[in-house]
Amino acid sequence: MGKGLKLEKTEKIWLDGSFVPWDEANIHVLTHTLHYGLGVFEGIRCYQVKKKKSAVFRLHEHTDRLFNSAIILGIEIPFSKKEIITAILQVVKKNKLKECYIRPIVFLGHNQMGLNPNGVDVRVAIAAWPWGAYLGDEGISNGIRVRISSFTRHHVNISMTRAKACGYYVNSILAKSEAVRDGYDEAILLDPQGYVSEGSGENIFLLSKGRLKTPSLSCSNLEGITRDAVFEIAKHLKVEIEEGFITRDELYIADEVFLTGTAAEITPVREIDNRSIGNGKRGKTTARIQKTFFEIVHGSHSKFNKWLSEV
């Protein structure tokens, strides 16, 4: 886990309404977002489904969140939701990808500099590439080791936490780097009040006495789309689930803990701060949720086919 995941180059990237070769999707060194971090993005996955076709998981929900993030930061995206959805599907198709990770990003251009973003060109890019399990296949099967970070998550009125904004991820990088440097796979951040918030790029769930619990959205955590999927999967599996405040010691004595996210999918946690969680392996409820999730994304669960947009 010491290194980032290698980027596998594909053929085309959608940039400002047209396709350009991967190596030509370049920006100017004075790009506003590069200097100040004001931009929004999404992480989306496409999976192979039955009959060797491909489908994007929860494409409409991701697109809605991209536009909501832009509204929160005062950015006007120069394309409609329908145009972005079409472009995302075209990126997968043009690059002949069966399974991939998709990255739409809305960023400010280089026609002016300074902290006032008014009048800066708004640009949009969409790239896609093959990307395996973010926290490793071993992590998906056997669980990962995490630590409580020394870094705190954003305060809700310092950084508006409903937005998935580029600059916010400096906080995540600091937490992730610290965890990896100290021999862990991932970090869990607390909110400014000391309650559990989320991972560096994932939401978190615990199981205690047969009931699932996850931090309330007032705990500085992102409103994850995989997080929402777990709520629906839990209802389907008749597992009780609730939102609320969680203390770090609740995590230590939980029966099971797992992380969720587009990149992380459903990743069990086997150890937190050198304390084994449950029996130190992937728990039974986590395994059931994980199994159902992967059935859904691969098109084997007709009840949830509404979440799949065929390429």
Side-chain angles (χ1 to χ4, degrees):
M1 291 300 300
K3 294 182 180 179
L5 295 172
K6 187 178 179 183
L7 199 61
E8 188 175 331
K9 187 165 82 170
T10 54
E11 287 184 27
K12 300 282 186 181
I13 289 175
W14 188 91
L15 181 61
D16 297 326
S18 60
F19 283 93
V20 298
W22 176 284
D23 290 329
E24 294 176 22
N26 301 318
I27 59 169
H28 196 278
V29 72
L30 293 179
T31 294
H32 196 281
T33 301
L34 176 63
H35 292 258
Y36 301 120
L38 191 74
V40 298
F41 70 96
E42 277 297 319
I44 311 171
R45 277 195 189 264
C46 177
Y47 294 89
Q48 189 164 331
V49 293
K50 291 179 178 179
K51 299 178 183 177
K52 296 184 178 179
K53 293 182 179 179
S54 297
V56 178
F57 182 62
R58 305 201 75 176
L59 173 56
H60 293 272
E61 291 90 336
H62 279 287
T63 304
D64 285 343
R65 190 172 65 181
L66 181 72
F67 276 76
N68 285 340
S69 294
I71 288 168
I72 290 168
L73 296 189
I75 299 170
E76 188 172 340
I77 298 176
F79 297 93
S80 67
K81 286 184 183 180
K82 186 177 180 181
E83 286 173 316
I84 295 298
I85 286 168
T86 300
I88 288 168
L89 294 170
Q90 285 178 337
V91 166
V92 178
K93 194 170 185 178
K94 271 196 179 290
N95 286 299
K96 301 179 178 66
L97 295 164
K98 293 297 182 187
E99 295 203 330
C100 62
Y101 184 85
I102 306 160
R103 170 54 54 84
I105 181 167
V106 179
F107 62 99
L108 303 188
H110 66 276
N111 60 309
Q112 65 185 50
M113 192 58 79
L115 291 179
N116 184 357
N118 292 339
V120 185
D121 295 334
V122 179
R123 306 187 61 189
V124 185
I126 304 168
W129 62 89
W131 216 20
Y134 177 64
L135 292 166
D137 293 326
E138 175 76 11
I140 290 281
S141 301
N142 299 320
I144 60 170
R145 299 178 64 246
V146 308
R147 64 157 290 178
I148 303 297
S149 182
S150 72
F151 295 95
T152 300
R153 211 35 152 177
H154 307 281
H155 185 280
V156 292
N157 204 35
I158 294 173
S159 300
M160 293 179 286
T161 54
R162 290 294 179 98
K164 190 173 174 69
C166 299
Y168 294 179
Y169 281 78
V170 171
N171 179 240
S172 295
I173 289 168
L174 292 170
K176 176 79 172 184
S177 299
E178 175 188 61
V180 172
R181 187 174 63 243
D182 291 349
Y184 295 89
D185 302 310
E186 186 54 281
I188 299 299
L189 295 94
L190 307 180
D191 73 8
Q193 284 70 48
Y195 293 102
V196 174
S197 179
E198 59 183 348
S200 69
E202 311 89 8
N203 293 115
I204 186 167
F205 289 80
L206 67 82
L207 182 83
S208 181
K209 299 176 183 176
R211 177 180 295 170
L212 275 178
K213 190 174 179 182
T214 193
S216 157
L217 290 175
S218 60
C219 293
S220 303
N221 46 336
L222 187 69
E223 188 174 7
I225 289 164
T226 309
R227 175 188 185 273
D228 178 73
V230 169
F231 272 81
E232 296 300 315
I233 291 169
K235 289 173 188 173
H236 172 73
L237 297 175
K238 295 181 170 53
V239 176
E240 285 187 63
I241 188 166
E242 64 181 36
E243 297 175 280
F245 294 103
I246 297 172
T247 58
R248 65 189 287 183
D249 48 8
E250 278 185 83
L251 291 179
Y252 295 156
I253 59 175
D255 299 318
E256 301 179 28
V257 175
F258 61 89
L259 303 179
T260 67
T262 295
E265 298 167 307
I266 310 288
T267 300
V269 174
R270 72 173 191 270
E271 187 180 302
I272 302 175
D273 289 345
N274 293 311
R275 296 162 171 85
S276 287
I277 303 303
N279 61 7
K281 299 177 182 177
R282 174 175 57 185
K284 290 182 180 179
T285 299
T286 302
R288 287 177 69 208
I289 291 169
Q290 198 181 52
K291 179 175 181 289
T292 305
F293 173 80
F294 284 116
E295 287 173 352
I296 290 167
V297 299
H298 290 293
S300 301
H301 227 298
S302 58
K303 179 180 177 180
F304 295 97
N305 280 349
K306 62 185 178 181
W307 285 347
L308 302 176
S309 297
E310 197 170 295
V311 176

